[in-house]
Amino acid sequence: MSDRFHWDGTPKDDERGFAASRTMWLHRSNRSTLLRRDALADCRYCGLRMEWFDAHDHKRIPMVPKRIPSAMVPPPMRWHVSRGVVFPSDAGEPTCLVPHPAFCPAVPHDDDAPGLADARARFRKRSEDLIASGAFIPDLRPARSEDDVAEQHIEDVEDVRHVIAFGSLLWLGPGRVEALRCVARADATGERCKNLVSQGEGRWEELAIPYAPGRAGQDVLWAGTTMWVYGLHLLFPDEFNRWMKQRCTFHGSGYAADAAPPQWIPFSPLRHEEYIMRQRPAMAEAERKRDAEERLARIPKRPQRTTCASSGCGNGSAAQVPEGWLCWTCAPAQARRERVHEKWTSAADDSNA
Protein backbone atom coordinates (compact mmCIF):
# COMPACT_ATOMS: atom_id res chain seq x y z
CA MET A 1 0.00 0.00 0.00
CA SER A 2 1.34 3.41 -0.98
CA ASP A 3 2.02 6.07 1.67
CA ARG A 4 0.83 8.86 -0.63
CA PHE A 5 -2.23 7.41 -2.34
CA HIS A 6 -5.35 5.47 -1.43
CA TRP A 7 -6.34 2.21 -3.13
CA ASP A 8 -8.41 4.11 -5.69
CA GLY A 9 -5.51 6.39 -6.74
CA THR A 10 -6.58 9.52 -4.84
CA PRO A 11 -3.99 11.29 -2.65
CA LYS A 12 -4.00 10.87 1.11
CA ASP A 13 -4.05 13.71 3.65
CA ASP A 14 -1.25 16.24 3.23
CA GLU A 15 1.25 17.22 5.93
CA ARG A 16 -1.08 19.93 7.28
CA GLY A 17 -3.84 17.41 7.99
CA PHE A 18 -6.23 18.54 5.27
CA ALA A 19 -8.02 15.65 3.58
CA ALA A 20 -7.93 15.68 -0.21
CA SER A 21 -11.22 15.25 -2.04
CA ARG A 22 -11.85 11.72 -3.25
CA THR A 23 -13.90 10.89 -6.31
CA MET A 24 -15.38 7.43 -6.78
CA TRP A 25 -15.43 6.17 -10.38
CA LEU A 26 -17.42 3.32 -11.87
CA HIS A 27 -15.52 0.79 -13.95
CA ARG A 28 -16.64 0.55 -17.57
CA SER A 29 -17.31 -3.18 -17.25
CA ASN A 30 -19.59 -2.66 -14.24
CA ARG A 31 -23.24 -3.19 -15.03
CA SER A 32 -24.41 -1.38 -11.89
CA THR A 33 -24.27 2.37 -11.30
CA LEU A 34 -24.71 2.04 -7.54
CA LEU A 35 -21.65 3.10 -5.51
CA ARG A 36 -20.79 0.67 -2.71
CA ARG A 37 -20.28 3.55 -0.29
CA ASP A 38 -23.96 4.51 -0.77
CA ALA A 39 -25.28 0.95 -0.62
CA LEU A 40 -25.40 0.43 3.17
CA ALA A 41 -28.63 1.32 4.97
CA ASP A 42 -30.72 0.35 7.99
CA CYS A 43 -33.99 -1.48 7.49
CA ARG A 44 -36.78 0.85 8.51
CA TYR A 45 -38.89 -2.09 9.69
CA CYS A 46 -36.41 -3.98 11.89
CA GLY A 47 -33.44 -1.59 12.21
CA LEU A 48 -30.83 -4.15 11.10
CA ARG A 49 -28.06 -3.31 8.66
CA MET A 50 -28.47 -4.27 5.01
CA GLU A 51 -26.65 -3.67 1.72
CA TRP A 52 -28.43 -2.77 -1.52
CA PHE A 53 -27.61 -4.42 -4.86
CA ASP A 54 -28.98 -4.06 -8.36
CA ALA A 55 -30.51 -7.35 -9.47
CA HIS A 56 -30.36 -8.95 -12.90
CA ASP A 57 -34.05 -8.21 -13.62
CA HIS A 58 -33.96 -4.41 -13.13
CA LYS A 59 -35.03 -4.77 -9.49
CA ARG A 60 -33.13 -3.62 -6.41
CA ILE A 61 -32.76 -6.04 -3.51
CA PRO A 62 -31.24 -5.61 -0.01
CA MET A 63 -28.77 -8.24 1.14
CA VAL A 64 -27.40 -9.19 4.55
CA PRO A 65 -24.00 -7.34 4.63
CA LYS A 66 -22.05 -10.51 5.34
CA ARG A 67 -21.22 -13.51 3.21
CA ILE A 68 -22.62 -16.79 4.56
CA PRO A 69 -21.25 -20.31 3.92
CA SER A 70 -23.31 -21.73 1.08
CA ALA A 71 -23.81 -25.06 2.86
CA MET A 72 -25.82 -23.30 5.59
CA VAL A 73 -28.24 -21.58 3.18
CA PRO A 74 -31.05 -23.26 1.19
CA PRO A 75 -30.35 -23.16 -2.59
CA PRO A 76 -33.28 -20.79 -3.39
CA MET A 77 -31.77 -18.14 -1.09
CA ARG A 78 -28.22 -18.20 -2.44
CA TRP A 79 -27.07 -15.18 -4.48
CA HIS A 80 -23.75 -14.14 -5.99
CA VAL A 81 -22.35 -10.89 -7.42
CA SER A 82 -21.10 -10.48 -10.98
CA ARG A 83 -19.92 -7.09 -12.28
CA GLY A 84 -21.85 -5.27 -9.57
CA VAL A 85 -25.16 -7.09 -10.17
CA VAL A 86 -26.57 -9.95 -8.06
CA PHE A 87 -27.85 -13.19 -9.57
CA PRO A 88 -29.55 -16.23 -8.00
CA SER A 89 -27.38 -19.24 -7.01
CA ASP A 90 -23.95 -19.29 -5.40
CA ALA A 91 -22.09 -19.85 -8.73
CA GLY A 92 -20.15 -22.67 -7.11
CA GLU A 93 -18.52 -20.42 -4.52
CA PRO A 94 -18.09 -21.56 -0.89
CA THR A 95 -19.89 -18.44 0.40
CA CYS A 96 -22.91 -16.55 -0.85
CA LEU A 97 -25.13 -13.57 -0.18
CA VAL A 98 -28.60 -13.93 1.32
CA PRO A 99 -31.49 -11.47 0.89
CA HIS A 100 -32.44 -9.45 3.93
CA PRO A 101 -36.23 -9.77 3.38
CA ALA A 102 -35.95 -13.54 3.90
CA PHE A 103 -34.60 -12.95 7.43
CA CYS A 104 -36.24 -9.65 8.38
CA PRO A 105 -38.01 -10.21 11.74
CA ALA A 106 -40.62 -7.55 10.96
CA VAL A 107 -42.57 -9.74 8.51
CA PRO A 108 -43.99 -13.27 8.71
CA HIS A 109 -42.26 -15.97 6.67
CA ASP A 110 -44.15 -18.83 5.09
CA ASP A 111 -41.23 -21.20 4.47
CA ASP A 112 -39.85 -23.38 7.24
CA ALA A 113 -36.59 -24.54 5.70
CA PRO A 114 -34.24 -26.37 8.12
CA GLY A 115 -31.70 -24.08 9.70
CA LEU A 116 -33.61 -20.85 9.01
CA ALA A 117 -35.48 -20.79 12.31
CA ASP A 118 -32.31 -20.31 14.37
CA ALA A 119 -30.97 -17.59 12.07
CA ARG A 120 -34.28 -15.73 12.08
CA ALA A 121 -34.42 -16.00 15.87
CA ARG A 122 -30.99 -14.33 16.13
CA PHE A 123 -32.12 -11.56 13.79
CA ARG A 124 -35.27 -11.07 15.87
CA LYS A 125 -33.24 -10.87 19.11
CA ARG A 126 -30.93 -8.21 17.64
CA SER A 127 -33.89 -6.16 16.42
CA GLU A 128 -35.62 -6.38 19.81
CA ASP A 129 -32.42 -5.23 21.52
CA LEU A 130 -32.22 -2.18 19.25
CA ILE A 131 -35.84 -1.27 20.00
CA ALA A 132 -35.42 -1.82 23.75
CA SER A 133 -32.33 0.39 23.90
CA GLY A 134 -34.06 3.19 22.01
CA ALA A 135 -31.54 3.09 19.17
CA PHE A 136 -34.27 2.23 16.68
CA ILE A 137 -37.94 3.12 16.29
CA PRO A 138 -39.90 0.89 13.87
CA ASP A 139 -41.81 2.39 10.98
CA LEU A 140 -45.42 3.27 11.78
CA ARG A 141 -46.52 1.41 8.65
CA PRO A 142 -45.61 -2.25 9.24
CA ALA A 143 -44.47 -4.34 6.32
CA ARG A 144 -47.10 -6.77 5.02
CA SER A 145 -44.76 -9.10 3.17
CA GLU A 146 -41.17 -9.64 2.09
CA ASP A 147 -41.95 -7.62 -1.05
CA ASP A 148 -42.60 -4.53 1.08
CA VAL A 149 -39.21 -4.96 2.75
CA ALA A 150 -37.51 -5.26 -0.65
CA GLU A 151 -39.26 -2.11 -1.91
CA GLN A 152 -38.52 0.20 1.01
CA HIS A 153 -36.14 2.28 -1.14
CA ILE A 154 -39.28 3.81 -2.71
CA GLU A 155 -39.91 6.89 -0.57
CA ASP A 156 -41.82 10.16 -0.89
CA VAL A 157 -44.05 8.82 -3.66
CA GLU A 158 -47.00 10.75 -5.05
CA ASP A 159 -50.66 9.85 -4.66
CA VAL A 160 -50.85 9.28 -8.42
CA ARG A 161 -48.41 6.68 -9.70
CA HIS A 162 -48.45 5.68 -13.36
CA VAL A 163 -47.83 2.20 -14.72
CA ILE A 164 -45.66 1.62 -17.79
CA ALA A 165 -45.90 -1.40 -20.09
CA PHE A 166 -43.23 -3.02 -22.25
CA GLY A 167 -44.47 -6.15 -23.93
CA SER A 168 -46.12 -8.19 -21.18
CA LEU A 169 -44.15 -6.47 -18.38
CA LEU A 170 -45.81 -3.91 -16.12
CA TRP A 171 -43.83 -1.58 -13.84
CA LEU A 172 -45.10 0.92 -11.28
CA GLY A 173 -43.35 4.29 -11.09
CA PRO A 174 -43.02 6.71 -8.16
CA GLY A 175 -45.36 9.29 -9.69
CA ARG A 176 -46.54 10.67 -13.00
CA VAL A 177 -44.73 9.64 -16.16
CA GLU A 178 -44.36 13.21 -17.42
CA ALA A 179 -42.66 14.26 -14.13
CA LEU A 180 -40.26 11.30 -13.83
CA ARG A 181 -36.82 12.71 -13.01
CA CYS A 182 -33.37 11.35 -13.86
CA VAL A 183 -31.53 9.72 -10.93
CA ALA A 184 -27.97 10.18 -12.22
CA ARG A 185 -25.45 12.28 -10.33
CA ALA A 186 -24.59 15.37 -12.41
CA ASP A 187 -20.86 15.93 -12.88
CA ALA A 188 -21.15 19.72 -12.72
CA THR A 189 -23.03 19.98 -9.42
CA GLY A 190 -22.54 16.57 -7.81
CA GLU A 191 -26.28 16.49 -7.16
CA ARG A 192 -29.16 14.67 -8.78
CA CYS A 193 -29.81 15.52 -12.42
CA LYS A 194 -32.84 17.74 -13.01
CA ASN A 195 -33.67 16.44 -16.50
CA LEU A 196 -36.77 14.37 -17.22
CA VAL A 197 -36.75 10.78 -18.40
CA SER A 198 -39.72 10.97 -20.75
CA GLN A 199 -39.30 12.47 -24.18
CA GLY A 200 -42.79 11.55 -25.37
CA GLU A 201 -41.71 8.14 -26.72
CA GLY A 202 -44.70 6.19 -25.39
CA ARG A 203 -48.46 6.21 -25.89
CA TRP A 204 -51.30 5.77 -23.44
CA GLU A 205 -53.29 2.59 -23.97
CA GLU A 206 -56.08 0.67 -22.28
CA LEU A 207 -55.56 -2.97 -21.39
CA ALA A 208 -57.10 -5.61 -19.20
CA ILE A 209 -56.00 -5.67 -15.57
CA PRO A 210 -53.71 -8.70 -15.24
CA TYR A 211 -55.07 -11.75 -13.53
CA ALA A 212 -53.87 -12.26 -9.97
CA PRO A 213 -53.29 -15.93 -9.13
CA GLY A 214 -54.72 -17.52 -6.03
CA ARG A 215 -58.00 -17.19 -4.19
CA ALA A 216 -57.38 -13.51 -3.44
CA GLY A 217 -57.25 -12.79 -7.18
CA GLN A 218 -60.66 -14.41 -7.68
CA ASP A 219 -62.42 -12.28 -5.06
CA VAL A 220 -61.35 -8.84 -6.27
CA LEU A 221 -63.90 -6.42 -7.65
CA TRP A 222 -61.87 -5.33 -10.65
CA ALA A 223 -61.76 -8.77 -12.30
CA GLY A 224 -62.43 -8.41 -16.03
CA THR A 225 -62.08 -4.60 -16.10
CA THR A 226 -59.42 -2.47 -17.79
CA MET A 227 -56.74 0.00 -16.75
CA TRP A 228 -54.73 2.74 -18.48
CA VAL A 229 -50.96 2.33 -18.79
CA TYR A 230 -48.16 4.16 -20.61
CA GLY A 231 -47.01 1.82 -23.36
CA LEU A 232 -43.34 1.72 -24.40
CA HIS A 233 -43.69 -1.20 -26.81
CA LEU A 234 -42.07 0.59 -29.77
CA LEU A 235 -38.82 1.34 -27.94
CA PHE A 236 -35.60 -0.49 -28.75
CA PRO A 237 -34.12 -2.51 -25.83
CA ASP A 238 -31.44 0.14 -25.23
CA GLU A 239 -34.06 2.86 -24.88
CA PHE A 240 -36.15 0.70 -22.55
CA ASN A 241 -33.08 0.04 -20.40
CA ARG A 242 -32.63 3.81 -20.15
CA TRP A 243 -36.16 4.04 -18.78
CA MET A 244 -35.56 1.22 -16.31
CA LYS A 245 -32.36 2.89 -15.10
CA GLN A 246 -34.42 6.11 -14.83
CA ARG A 247 -31.92 8.14 -16.82
CA CYS A 248 -32.36 11.11 -19.13
CA THR A 249 -31.07 11.00 -22.71
CA PHE A 250 -27.82 12.72 -21.65
CA HIS A 251 -26.98 10.19 -18.90
CA GLY A 252 -28.54 7.19 -20.64
CA SER A 253 -25.32 5.82 -22.10
CA GLY A 254 -22.76 7.28 -19.67
CA TYR A 255 -21.05 5.98 -16.54
CA ALA A 256 -22.42 8.50 -14.06
CA ALA A 257 -23.26 7.10 -10.63
CA ASP A 258 -26.73 7.13 -9.14
CA ALA A 259 -27.60 10.02 -6.84
CA ALA A 260 -30.84 8.18 -5.92
CA PRO A 261 -32.03 4.64 -6.61
CA PRO A 262 -34.37 4.02 -9.58
CA GLN A 263 -37.92 3.98 -8.32
CA TRP A 264 -39.45 1.23 -10.49
CA ILE A 265 -41.07 -1.80 -8.89
CA PRO A 266 -42.96 -4.65 -10.58
CA PHE A 267 -46.67 -3.89 -10.70
CA SER A 268 -48.87 -6.18 -8.61
CA PRO A 269 -52.65 -5.74 -9.07
CA LEU A 270 -53.28 -6.91 -5.50
CA ARG A 271 -50.69 -4.83 -3.63
CA HIS A 272 -51.02 -1.76 -5.89
CA GLU A 273 -54.78 -1.67 -6.42
CA GLU A 274 -54.99 1.93 -5.21
CA TYR A 275 -52.83 3.08 -8.14
CA ILE A 276 -54.88 1.39 -10.88
CA MET A 277 -56.01 4.09 -13.32
CA ARG A 278 -59.46 3.24 -14.65
CA GLN A 279 -60.34 6.59 -16.23
CA ARG A 280 -58.77 7.87 -19.43
CA PRO A 281 -55.98 10.32 -18.46
CA ALA A 282 -55.99 13.83 -19.86
CA MET A 283 -52.72 13.19 -21.71
CA ALA A 284 -54.31 10.24 -23.53
CA GLU A 285 -57.05 12.52 -24.86
CA ALA A 286 -54.44 15.06 -25.99
CA GLU A 287 -52.50 12.28 -27.74
CA ARG A 288 -55.68 11.09 -29.47
CA LYS A 289 -56.41 14.56 -30.84
CA ARG A 290 -52.79 15.04 -31.92
CA ASP A 291 -52.73 11.69 -33.71
CA ALA A 292 -56.00 12.55 -35.47
CA GLU A 293 -54.56 15.86 -36.65
CA GLU A 294 -51.39 14.14 -37.89
CA ARG A 295 -53.41 11.56 -39.82
CA LEU A 296 -55.54 14.33 -41.31
CA ALA A 297 -52.42 16.22 -42.35
CA ARG A 298 -51.10 13.14 -44.15
CA ILE A 299 -54.25 12.82 -46.28
CA PRO A 300 -53.51 14.30 -49.74
CA LYS A 301 -55.52 17.45 -50.27
CA ARG A 302 -57.43 18.26 -53.48
CA PRO A 303 -55.08 20.19 -55.79
CA GLN A 304 -55.85 23.81 -56.60
CA ARG A 305 -57.62 24.19 -59.98
CA THR A 306 -56.71 27.03 -62.34
CA THR A 307 -59.51 28.23 -64.68
CA CYS A 308 -58.91 29.14 -68.30
CA ALA A 309 -58.28 32.86 -68.84
CA SER A 310 -60.69 33.00 -71.80
CA SER A 311 -63.99 34.71 -71.03
CA GLY A 312 -66.88 32.29 -70.68
CA CYS A 313 -64.73 29.10 -70.71
CA GLY A 314 -65.17 26.62 -67.84
CA ASN A 315 -62.14 24.46 -68.53
CA GLY A 316 -59.29 24.32 -65.99
CA SER A 317 -56.05 22.60 -64.99
CA ALA A 318 -54.75 21.09 -61.73
CA ALA A 319 -51.15 21.48 -62.82
CA GLN A 320 -49.05 24.53 -62.14
CA VAL A 321 -49.61 26.92 -65.11
CA PRO A 322 -48.50 30.49 -65.79
CA GLU A 323 -50.75 33.49 -65.37
CA GLY A 324 -53.09 34.03 -68.31
CA TRP A 325 -53.14 30.32 -69.20
CA LEU A 326 -55.55 29.19 -71.95
CA CYS A 327 -57.04 25.69 -72.09
CA TRP A 328 -56.54 23.17 -74.91
CA THR A 329 -59.67 24.49 -76.69
CA CYS A 330 -59.20 28.23 -76.34
CA ALA A 331 -55.43 28.22 -77.06
CA PRO A 332 -55.78 27.01 -80.74
CA ALA A 333 -58.73 29.36 -81.33
CA GLN A 334 -56.72 32.29 -79.98
CA ALA A 335 -53.79 31.30 -82.23
CA ARG A 336 -56.07 31.24 -85.33
CA ARG A 337 -57.46 34.69 -84.51
CA GLU A 338 -53.95 36.05 -84.12
CA ARG A 339 -52.88 34.59 -87.50
CA VAL A 340 -55.96 36.06 -89.29
CA HIS A 341 -55.39 39.43 -87.61
CA GLU A 342 -51.73 39.39 -88.65
CA LYS A 343 -52.70 38.44 -92.28
CA TRP A 344 -55.19 41.30 -92.74
CA THR A 345 -52.84 43.77 -91.01
CA SER A 346 -50.04 42.87 -93.44
CA ALA A 347 -52.39 43.19 -96.49
CA ALA A 348 -53.52 46.68 -95.39
CA ASP A 349 -49.91 47.82 -95.02
CA ASP A 350 -49.07 46.58 -98.60
CA SER A 351 -52.02 48.46 -100.16
CA ASN A 352 -51.11 51.71 -98.50
CA ALA A 353 -47.59 51.41 -99.78
mmCIF file of all heavy atoms in Angstrom, residues 326-351:
data_model
loop_
_atom_site.group_PDB
_atom_site.id
_atom_site.type_symbol
_atom_site.label_atom_id
_atom_site.label_comp_id
_atom_site.label_asym_id
_atom_site.label_seq_id
_atom_site.Cartn_x
_atom_site.Cartn_y
_atom_site.Cartn_z
ATOM 1 N N LEU A 326 -54.381 29.542 -71.152
ATOM 2 C CA LEU A 326 -55.552 29.185 -71.947
ATOM 3 C C LEU A 326 -55.638 27.677 -72.052
ATOM 4 O O LEU A 326 -54.615 26.980 -72.148
ATOM 5 C CB LEU A 326 -55.471 29.793 -73.343
ATOM 6 C CG LEU A 326 -55.461 31.334 -73.412
ATOM 7 C CD1 LEU A 326 -55.269 31.797 -74.844
ATOM 8 C CD2 LEU A 326 -56.719 31.923 -72.814
ATOM 9 N N CYS A 327 -56.837 27.126 -72.046
ATOM 10 C CA CYS A 327 -57.037 25.688 -72.091
ATOM 11 C C CYS A 327 -56.734 25.154 -73.491
ATOM 12 O O CYS A 327 -56.433 25.906 -74.436
ATOM 13 C CB CYS A 327 -58.465 25.351 -71.679
ATOM 14 S SG CYS A 327 -59.725 25.912 -72.863
ATOM 15 N N TRP A 328 -56.834 23.842 -73.643
ATOM 16 C CA TRP A 328 -56.542 23.172 -74.912
ATOM 17 C C TRP A 328 -57.523 23.519 -76.029
ATOM 18 O O TRP A 328 -57.234 23.319 -77.190
ATOM 19 C CB TRP A 328 -56.545 21.661 -74.679
ATOM 20 C CG TRP A 328 -57.845 21.147 -74.104
ATOM 21 C CD1 TRP A 328 -58.909 20.695 -74.782
ATOM 22 C CD2 TRP A 328 -58.194 21.122 -72.730
ATOM 23 N NE1 TRP A 328 -59.924 20.359 -73.945
ATOM 24 C CE2 TRP A 328 -59.504 20.603 -72.645
ATOM 25 C CE3 TRP A 328 -57.540 21.465 -71.547
ATOM 26 C CZ2 TRP A 328 -60.181 20.438 -71.449
ATOM 27 C CZ3 TRP A 328 -58.220 21.285 -70.378
ATOM 28 C CH2 TRP A 328 -59.517 20.781 -70.308
ATOM 29 N N THR A 329 -58.691 24.068 -75.674
ATOM 30 C CA THR A 329 -59.666 24.494 -76.686
ATOM 31 C C THR A 329 -59.489 25.964 -77.062
ATOM 32 O O THR A 329 -59.523 26.340 -78.248
ATOM 33 C CB THR A 329 -61.098 24.261 -76.172
ATOM 34 O OG1 THR A 329 -61.277 22.877 -75.862
ATOM 35 C CG2 THR A 329 -62.132 24.678 -77.216
ATOM 36 N N CYS A 330 -59.296 26.784 -76.084
ATOM 37 C CA CYS A 330 -59.199 28.228 -76.339
ATOM 38 C C CYS A 330 -57.832 28.620 -76.900
ATOM 39 O O CYS A 330 -57.725 29.609 -77.639
ATOM 40 C CB CYS A 330 -59.453 29.003 -75.055
ATOM 41 S SG CYS A 330 -61.128 28.757 -74.380
ATOM 42 N N ALA A 331 -56.762 27.868 -76.566
ATOM 43 C CA ALA A 331 -55.430 28.221 -77.059
ATOM 44 C C ALA A 331 -55.340 28.127 -78.589
ATOM 45 O O ALA A 331 -54.862 29.075 -79.250
ATOM 46 C CB ALA A 331 -54.378 27.339 -76.393
ATOM 47 N N PRO A 332 -55.814 27.028 -79.263
ATOM 48 C CA PRO A 332 -55.783 27.010 -80.744
ATOM 49 C C PRO A 332 -56.653 28.085 -81.373
ATOM 50 O O PRO A 332 -56.299 28.684 -82.394
ATOM 51 C CB PRO A 332 -56.291 25.602 -81.083
ATOM 52 C CG PRO A 332 -56.003 24.788 -79.858
ATOM 53 C CD PRO A 332 -56.197 25.728 -78.721
ATOM 54 N N ALA A 333 -57.840 28.322 -80.777
ATOM 55 C CA ALA A 333 -58.730 29.362 -81.333
ATOM 56 C C ALA A 333 -58.082 30.732 -81.243
ATOM 57 O O ALA A 333 -58.170 31.552 -82.179
ATOM 58 C CB ALA A 333 -60.067 29.350 -80.593
ATOM 59 N N GLN A 334 -57.408 31.007 -80.138
ATOM 60 C CA GLN A 334 -56.721 32.286 -79.982
ATOM 61 C C GLN A 334 -55.573 32.400 -80.978
ATOM 62 O O GLN A 334 -55.329 33.482 -81.549
ATOM 63 C CB GLN A 334 -56.187 32.412 -78.550
ATOM 64 C CG GLN A 334 -55.424 33.681 -78.267
ATOM 65 C CD GLN A 334 -56.313 34.918 -78.347
ATOM 66 O OE1 GLN A 334 -57.556 34.830 -78.300
ATOM 67 N NE2 GLN A 334 -55.706 36.076 -78.520
ATOM 68 N N ALA A 335 -54.886 31.274 -81.253
ATOM 69 C CA ALA A 335 -53.789 31.299 -82.229
ATOM 70 C C ALA A 335 -54.323 31.579 -83.632
ATOM 71 O O ALA A 335 -53.693 32.319 -84.401
ATOM 72 C CB ALA A 335 -53.042 29.968 -82.184
ATOM 73 N N ARG A 336 -55.483 30.977 -84.007
ATOM 74 C CA ARG A 336 -56.066 31.240 -85.329
ATOM 75 C C ARG A 336 -56.462 32.705 -85.461
ATOM 76 O O ARG A 336 -56.246 33.348 -86.524
ATOM 77 C CB ARG A 336 -57.299 30.344 -85.544
ATOM 78 C CG ARG A 336 -56.950 28.886 -85.806
ATOM 79 C CD ARG A 336 -58.164 28.142 -86.364
ATOM 80 N NE ARG A 336 -59.301 28.176 -85.458
ATOM 81 C CZ ARG A 336 -59.530 27.294 -84.504
ATOM 82 N NH1 ARG A 336 -58.682 26.269 -84.342
ATOM 83 N NH2 ARG A 336 -60.599 27.381 -83.729
ATOM 84 N N ARG A 337 -57.059 33.283 -84.451
ATOM 85 C CA ARG A 337 -57.456 34.686 -84.507
ATOM 86 C C ARG A 337 -56.236 35.584 -84.693
ATOM 87 O O ARG A 337 -56.281 36.583 -85.436
ATOM 88 C CB ARG A 337 -58.223 35.070 -83.240
ATOM 89 C CG ARG A 337 -59.646 34.512 -83.193
ATOM 90 C CD ARG A 337 -60.460 35.189 -82.102
ATOM 91 N NE ARG A 337 -59.942 34.876 -80.768
ATOM 92 C CZ ARG A 337 -60.381 33.857 -80.036
ATOM 93 N NH1 ARG A 337 -61.320 33.050 -80.515
ATOM 94 N NH2 ARG A 337 -59.877 33.638 -78.839
ATOM 95 N N GLU A 338 -55.153 35.238 -83.980
ATOM 96 C CA GLU A 338 -53.951 36.055 -84.118
ATOM 97 C C GLU A 338 -53.358 35.950 -85.534
ATOM 98 O O GLU A 338 -52.875 36.956 -86.091
ATOM 99 C CB GLU A 338 -52.914 35.616 -83.068
ATOM 100 C CG GLU A 338 -53.327 35.959 -81.634
ATOM 101 C CD GLU A 338 -52.321 35.479 -80.628
ATOM 102 O OE1 GLU A 338 -51.368 34.767 -81.053
ATOM 103 O OE2 GLU A 338 -52.473 35.789 -79.423
ATOM 104 N N ARG A 339 -53.410 34.739 -86.145
ATOM 105 C CA ARG A 339 -52.877 34.586 -87.497
ATOM 106 C C ARG A 339 -53.725 35.368 -88.511
ATOM 107 O O ARG A 339 -53.196 36.034 -89.417
ATOM 108 C CB ARG A 339 -52.836 33.106 -87.885
ATOM 109 C CG ARG A 339 -51.744 32.320 -87.192
ATOM 110 C CD ARG A 339 -51.520 30.997 -87.911
ATOM 111 N NE ARG A 339 -52.708 30.160 -87.898
ATOM 112 C CZ ARG A 339 -53.027 29.273 -86.955
ATOM 113 N NH1 ARG A 339 -52.192 29.125 -85.919
ATOM 114 N NH2 ARG A 339 -54.118 28.543 -87.039
ATOM 115 N N VAL A 340 -55.073 35.312 -88.381
ATOM 116 C CA VAL A 340 -55.958 36.063 -89.289
ATOM 117 C C VAL A 340 -55.746 37.558 -89.127
ATOM 118 O O VAL A 340 -55.682 38.321 -90.114
ATOM 119 C CB VAL A 340 -57.434 35.682 -89.025
ATOM 120 C CG1 VAL A 340 -58.375 36.611 -89.812
ATOM 121 C CG2 VAL A 340 -57.691 34.231 -89.408
ATOM 122 N N HIS A 341 -55.611 37.993 -87.845
ATOM 123 C CA HIS A 341 -55.393 39.426 -87.608
ATOM 124 C C HIS A 341 -54.064 39.879 -88.212
ATOM 125 O O HIS A 341 -53.965 40.961 -88.829
ATOM 126 C CB HIS A 341 -55.403 39.687 -86.092
ATOM 127 C CG HIS A 341 -55.129 41.097 -85.750
ATOM 128 N ND1 HIS A 341 -56.050 42.131 -85.952
ATOM 129 C CD2 HIS A 341 -54.009 41.697 -85.221
ATOM 130 C CE1 HIS A 341 -55.517 43.270 -85.570
ATOM 131 N NE2 HIS A 341 -54.275 43.039 -85.120
ATOM 132 N N GLU A 342 -53.033 39.035 -88.087
ATOM 133 C CA GLU A 342 -51.731 39.393 -88.649
ATOM 134 C C GLU A 342 -51.790 39.428 -90.181
ATOM 135 O O GLU A 342 -51.165 40.282 -90.831
ATOM 136 C CB GLU A 342 -50.685 38.381 -88.172
ATOM 137 C CG GLU A 342 -49.275 38.715 -88.640
ATOM 138 C CD GLU A 342 -48.268 37.715 -88.137
ATOM 139 O OE1 GLU A 342 -48.650 36.774 -87.409
ATOM 140 O OE2 GLU A 342 -47.077 37.887 -88.464
ATOM 141 N N LYS A 343 -52.578 38.482 -90.814
ATOM 142 C CA LYS A 343 -52.695 38.444 -92.275
ATOM 143 C C LYS A 343 -53.349 39.708 -92.812
ATOM 144 O O LYS A 343 -52.875 40.323 -93.774
ATOM 145 C CB LYS A 343 -53.498 37.209 -92.673
ATOM 146 C CG LYS A 343 -53.758 37.098 -94.168
ATOM 147 C CD LYS A 343 -54.574 35.860 -94.462
ATOM 148 C CE LYS A 343 -54.873 35.763 -95.960
ATOM 149 N NZ LYS A 343 -55.696 34.559 -96.274
ATOM 150 N N TRP A 344 -54.480 40.111 -92.255
ATOM 151 C CA TRP A 344 -55.185 41.301 -92.738
ATOM 152 C C TRP A 344 -54.406 42.569 -92.424
ATOM 153 O O TRP A 344 -54.427 43.529 -93.212
ATOM 154 C CB TRP A 344 -56.574 41.374 -92.095
ATOM 155 C CG TRP A 344 -57.525 40.378 -92.692
ATOM 156 C CD1 TRP A 344 -57.948 39.219 -92.188
ATOM 157 C CD2 TRP A 344 -58.129 40.510 -93.964
ATOM 158 N NE1 TRP A 344 -58.787 38.553 -93.011
ATOM 159 C CE2 TRP A 344 -58.941 39.344 -94.151
ATOM 160 C CE3 TRP A 344 -58.103 41.480 -94.989
ATOM 161 C CZ2 TRP A 344 -59.702 39.144 -95.300
ATOM 162 C CZ3 TRP A 344 -58.881 41.252 -96.116
ATOM 163 C CH2 TRP A 344 -59.663 40.101 -96.290
ATOM 164 N N THR A 345 -53.655 42.579 -91.321
ATOM 165 C CA THR A 345 -52.844 43.767 -91.010
ATOM 166 C C THR A 345 -51.725 43.919 -92.034
ATOM 167 O O THR A 345 -51.417 45.031 -92.497
ATOM 168 C CB THR A 345 -52.244 43.637 -89.604
ATOM 169 O OG1 THR A 345 -53.308 43.489 -88.647
ATOM 170 C CG2 THR A 345 -51.435 44.857 -89.246
ATOM 171 N N SER A 346 -51.121 42.813 -92.439
ATOM 172 C CA SER A 346 -50.040 42.865 -93.442
ATOM 173 C C SER A 346 -50.592 43.289 -94.802
ATOM 174 O O SER A 346 -49.952 44.062 -95.552
ATOM 175 C CB SER A 346 -49.383 41.474 -93.573
ATOM 176 O OG SER A 346 -48.835 41.092 -92.317
ATOM 177 N N ALA A 347 -51.795 42.806 -95.208
ATOM 178 C CA ALA A 347 -52.394 43.186 -96.489
ATOM 179 C C ALA A 347 -52.710 44.676 -96.509
ATOM 180 O O ALA A 347 -52.515 45.366 -97.540
ATOM 181 C CB ALA A 347 -53.659 42.362 -96.745
ATOM 182 N N ALA A 348 -53.189 45.244 -95.450
ATOM 183 C CA ALA A 348 -53.515 46.681 -95.394
ATOM 184 C C ALA A 348 -52.264 47.512 -95.523
ATOM 185 O O ALA A 348 -52.251 48.573 -96.215
ATOM 186 C CB ALA A 348 -54.251 47.006 -94.088
ATOM 187 N N ASP A 349 -51.169 47.059 -94.913
ATOM 188 C CA ASP A 349 -49.914 47.818 -95.017
ATOM 189 C C ASP A 349 -49.389 47.798 -96.466
ATOM 190 O O ASP A 349 -48.858 48.801 -96.955
ATOM 191 C CB ASP A 349 -48.872 47.204 -94.063
ATOM 192 C CG ASP A 349 -49.280 47.419 -92.607
ATOM 193 O OD1 ASP A 349 -50.096 48.285 -92.315
ATOM 194 O OD2 ASP A 349 -48.728 46.659 -91.737
ATOM 195 N N ASP A 350 -49.551 46.680 -97.222
ATOM 196 C CA ASP A 350 -49.067 46.576 -98.595
ATOM 197 C C ASP A 350 -49.865 47.485 -99.512
ATOM 198 O O ASP A 350 -49.316 48.128 -100.437
ATOM 199 C CB ASP A 350 -49.147 45.135 -99.091
ATOM 200 C CG ASP A 350 -48.177 44.230 -98.343
ATOM 201 O OD1 ASP A 350 -47.220 44.759 -97.710
ATOM 202 O OD2 ASP A 350 -48.386 42.994 -98.317
ATOM 203 N N SER A 351 -51.188 47.617 -99.307
ATOM 204 C CA SER A 351 -52.018 48.459 -100.164
ATOM 205 C C SER A 351 -51.720 49.929 -99.959
ATOM 206 O O SER A 351 -51.764 50.757 -100.892
ATOM 207 C CB SER A 351 -53.508 48.173 -99.919
ATOM 208 O OG SER A 351 -53.829 48.485 -98.571
#
